[in-house]
Amino acid sequence: MSLSAEALQKRIHTPILYRDVVDSTNDLATEWLKSGAVHGSAVIADEQRKGRGRLGRMWYTPPGVALALSIILKPHADQLGSIGIAGAVSVAMMCAGLGLEGVSLKWPNDVRINGKKVCGILPEAVWQGDQLLGVILGIGVNVRVQFRDELALTATSLVTEIGHDLDRADLAADLIRRVIGWCAQAGSDALFEQWRSSLDTIGKQVVVGDVQGVALDVERSGALLVQQQDGSVQRVFAGDVMLREG
Ligand code: BTN
């Protein structure tokens, strides 16, 4: 099923900028924010050629098979740390709402189904001097991407997991609504507890950069607390977690 501005705008009334092809929806959303986009506006593309992932990685979105979505949000500056969390919780709840089981979050905000990544999230704050203009919440969801070989061991798609096709316009509209709803609760106990209880990282042996040990818990700042072998507890703010399952 093809995505279009019309299909999206039929399902949701928040302002939508749809493109068949973009370099990065986050870049386009940043420009739109600077030229006055309102809270909740969203940029969606069918194909994304120079998408950005966490930690400087590339995120390519092939045409017809995924969601490349950037939602423009205007939280208070002290809620910034909650926006990626709001995105992850929204995607996880969308998956659960579709009836999918085995949905969890890998710290900080990868959404996984039965341990395989289905969605990545990239929140980017946009500043003008010391004034926060807004946050671009970039969300990439594998809807019907066919992963092969090695990749199929670590990545999956919604359609692979659910066993029937899904309409990307329906998914995008549902997700935007959920994100706007959770963003209104940024910084709340409800959002923090929903995130914390969905994390599959807590209690596991982890390696994050130079830090290695047991993931004890998370803090409201979003930091992961890792207890190392010498008993000391390290606070980790960013990085890729390697989970030692079992
Ligand atoms: C990750 O590395 O896990 C985060 C990936 C985020 C990709 C999304 S796709 C839509 C938005 N536009 C971008 O350029 N990146 C994000």
Side-chain angles (χ1 to χ4, degrees), residues 103-168:
V103 181
S104 65
L105 302 179
K106 182 178 161 197
W107 184 88
N109 48 30
D110 280 356
V111 183
R112 309 205 299 170
I113 303 177
N114 297 318
K116 297 181 183 182
K117 181 162 173 171
V118 73
C119 165
I121 289 182
L122 182 68
E124 294 183 312
V126 182
W127 297 86
Q128 195 164 61
D130 58 3
Q131 193 204 341
L132 178 68
L133 284 187
V135 181
I136 307 303
L137 181 65
I139 304 178
V141 185
N142 305 324
V143 178
R144 60 182 88 93
V145 183
Q146 297 273 4
F147 292 101
R148 288 179 219 292
D149 307 321
E150 285 277 285
L151 266 182
L153 301 175
T154 55
T156 191
S157 285
L158 293 178
V159 165
T160 308
E161 297 297 324
I162 207 165
H164 60 78
D165 205 9
L166 293 163
D167 182 322
R168 285 179 298 156

Side-chain angles (χ1 to χ4, degrees), residues 5-52:
E6 200 193 357
L8 291 159
Q9 218 66 87
K10 248 192 222 160
R11 290 161 173 80
I12 192 159
H13 296 301
T14 191
I16 302 276
L17 191 60
Y18 169 78
R19 291 282 183 272
D20 288 331
V21 184
V22 290
D23 281 347
S24 159
T25 54
N26 267 28
D27 291 347
L28 202 51
T30 301
E31 280 171 29
W32 195 13
L33 169 64
K34 287 180 178 165
S35 62
V38 298
H39 173 81
S41 303
V43 177
I44 303 180
D46 185 40
E47 179 181 2
Q48 181 176 248
R49 294 188 175 159
K50 291 185 187 157
R52 285 182 281 109

